[in-house]
Amino acid sequence: MDHHRPLGRLPLRVGLAGPLGVVAAILLTGCGGGAALEITTIPATATTTTSTTPTTTTTTVPATSTTTSTTTSTTSTSTTTTTMPREAWQVDGRAYYFPIQPPEVAAYSGSHHDYPATDIFAPSGSTVVAVTNGVVDELRRDDPWDPAADDPAERGGRFVSIIGDDEVRYYCSHLESVAEGLSEGDRVVAGQVLGAIGNSGNAATTSPHCHFGISRPTGPGDWEVRRGEVGPYDYLQAWTRGEDLTPVLPEG
């Protein structure tokens, strides 16, 4: 919904991610340790003196030397690697996922107003996932948008963007929440949970949805490009079918 003007009841080419066609009936008024040491000691034998005559003869029994026995205990250390649990929708070998899971709860159209993007409508709290393997580029957990100021850089509200291993940036905004523990620079895998659908930012008066944008990486803060420069519709359709289709970015 970033950076838009309100849309009326326009004819939309609706792409349903699943059989819940009823969603399409909604007015899509979207955006605009250690070694152990054991010591054993044997006591020394005492000195014995014998007196027989006025002349004293002393017989000394040599002291028994102390013997120290050291036993070393070896401790074996094992390393356990903890990985994120597999989600129900994750499939071995798949490179791309529809950004809302399960896709059946989502509805979207093939058009957007004055720049390329797609508003994906789904019930509030629906799961938003990483489209592909990559690194978290930017995220925002608070919602700073003020309708009086209407700063275009804040219209997306809560959001996450990742830069995929395919060198494409994927942007999901108007989120209800961002996944706990997720930070900028974190490595994510395809299908990993990023957040939940909501209507933060300037989507406050619309139905819950995710503004989904595809663009070239341009660095943090570049909201104008980040919001979208490639139409996502065909890619969303392919990912719903389980096809690994990589977006083609504009030249230059």
Side-chain angles (χ1 to χ4, degrees), residues 146-172:
D146 178 358
D150 195 25
D151 183 344
E154 298 177 349
R155 289 175 181 165
R158 301 179 186 91
F159 74 88
V160 178
S161 67
I162 70 170
I163 297 178
D165 292 350
D166 54 8
E167 300 183 352
V168 177
R169 177 169 51 188
Y170 301 93
Y171 171 62
C172 298

Side-chain angles (χ1 to χ4, degrees), residues 30-83:
C31 57
L37 185 62
E38 179 185 324
I39 301 177
T40 302
T41 303
I42 302 174
T45 302
T47 301
T48 302
T49 303
T50 304
S51 297
T52 55
T53 62
T55 301
T56 303
T57 302
T58 302
T59 304
T60 303
V61 179
T64 303
S65 61
T66 300
T67 302
T68 301
S69 174
T70 303
T71 303
T72 302
S73 175
T74 302
T75 302
S76 177
T77 303
S78 60
T79 302
T80 302
T81 301
T82 303
T83 57

Side-chain angles (χ1 to χ4, degrees), residues 1-2 31 97-101 117-120 126-132 136-142 155-163 169-179 182 192-198 200 209-215 226-228 232 236 239:
M1 159 162 202
D2 291 12
C31 57
Y97 289 84
F98 188 80
I100 310 300
Q101 293 293 326
T118 295
D119 294 330
I120 308 175
S126 297
T127 304
V128 177
V129 306
V131 166
T132 193
V136 177
D137 184 36
E138 297 180 86
L139 62 77
R140 185 163 59 210
R141 296 182 180 277
D142 64 333
R155 289 175 181 165
R158 301 179 186 91
F159 74 88
V160 178
S161 67
I162 70 170
I163 297 178
R169 177 169 51 188
Y170 301 93
Y171 171 62
C172 298
S173 67
H174 302 314
L175 303 182
E176 177 182 79
S177 61
V178 174
L182 193 67
Q192 180 176 329
V193 176
L194 299 180
I197 285 277
S200 60
H209 67 280
C210 166
H211 173 98
F212 182 70
I214 298 176
S215 67
R226 183 184 62 205
R227 65 183 181 174
L236 293 170
W239 300 337

Side-chain angles (χ1 to χ4, degrees), residues 83-109:
T83 57
M84 295 295 289
R86 177 192 291 269
E87 303 291 350
W89 52 81
Q90 290 179 302
V91 178
D92 289 339
R94 181 170 294 178
Y96 291 90
Y97 289 84
F98 188 80
I100 310 300
Q101 293 293 326
E104 291 81 5
V105 304
Y108 57 100
S109 76

